Amino acid sequence: MPGIPLLDWPAQDLRTAAIDYIQSRRSFASVSDKPADLTLTVKAWLAMRSHDKYHYRVRLESVLGSSEKPAIKSYLVEKETAGSSVRWVTASDQTPIAEAVQAALDDLLAQIEADHLLYRK
């Protein structure tokens, strides 16, 4: 499809956004990208399809646990949003993708927070 090579979604952008979001939400006592007693691993996928409008789907597969023990729990979140009917520049993708990422992170953290008793020492 024309313009697809213009779609740029660097992993570091998502990593930084996720860390900043989790810190601001205050779900955990501290948040960083360094090893810790409790680790949240997030794998993310971005898919795009087109019918009358472009649709973007963000999928987050997450595991919470420690490096020394088996995972405590895993989570799966998928969010989809509609974009514009034409893609002329990458900027037309930024808002719907950001909305889908935000909604996915909201759901992921809500699930983790609901399970907070699993993570207490």
Side-chain angles (χ1 to χ4, degrees):
M1 301 178 103
I4 297 300
L6 296 175
L7 183 60
D8 187 24
W9 200 42
Q12 187 58 41
D13 287 356
L14 179 60
R15 170 179 274 174
T16 300
I19 289 171
D20 291 349
Y21 173 74
I22 294 168
Q23 284 174 333
S24 71
R25 191 157 168 141
R26 299 180 189 256
S27 301
F28 299 94
S30 67
V31 178
S32 90
D33 60 353
K34 307 289 186 262
D37 293 337
L38 187 63
T39 303
L40 175 64
T41 303
V42 179
K43 294 180 182 178
W45 287 265
L46 173 63
M48 180 180 74
R49 62 183 169 83
S50 174
H51 293 292
D52 59 328
K53 284 188 170 191
Y54 285 92
H55 291 264
Y56 303 92
R57 176 179 287 143
V58 173
R59 177 184 174 105
L60 302 179
E61 290 182 7
S62 305
V63 176
L64 196 56
S66 78
S67 59
E68 300 169 3
K69 297 179 184 176
I72 297 170
K73 187 154 184 189
S74 60
Y75 300 92
L76 174 64
V77 175
E78 288 187 344
K79 292 294 175 181
E80 186 172 327
T81 188
S84 66
S85 58
V86 295
R87 283 189 76 243
W88 297 108
V89 294
T90 304
S92 66
D93 300 309
Q94 292 173 353
T95 299
I97 291 171
E99 290 170 357
V101 169
Q102 182 66 54
L105 287 171
D106 286 342
D107 280 4
L108 174 63
L109 269 290
Q111 290 178 33
I112 291 170
E113 290 164 357
D115 291 336
H116 72 278
L117 294 177
L118 294 174
Y119 311 122
R120 288 193 173 167
K121 289 188 176 187

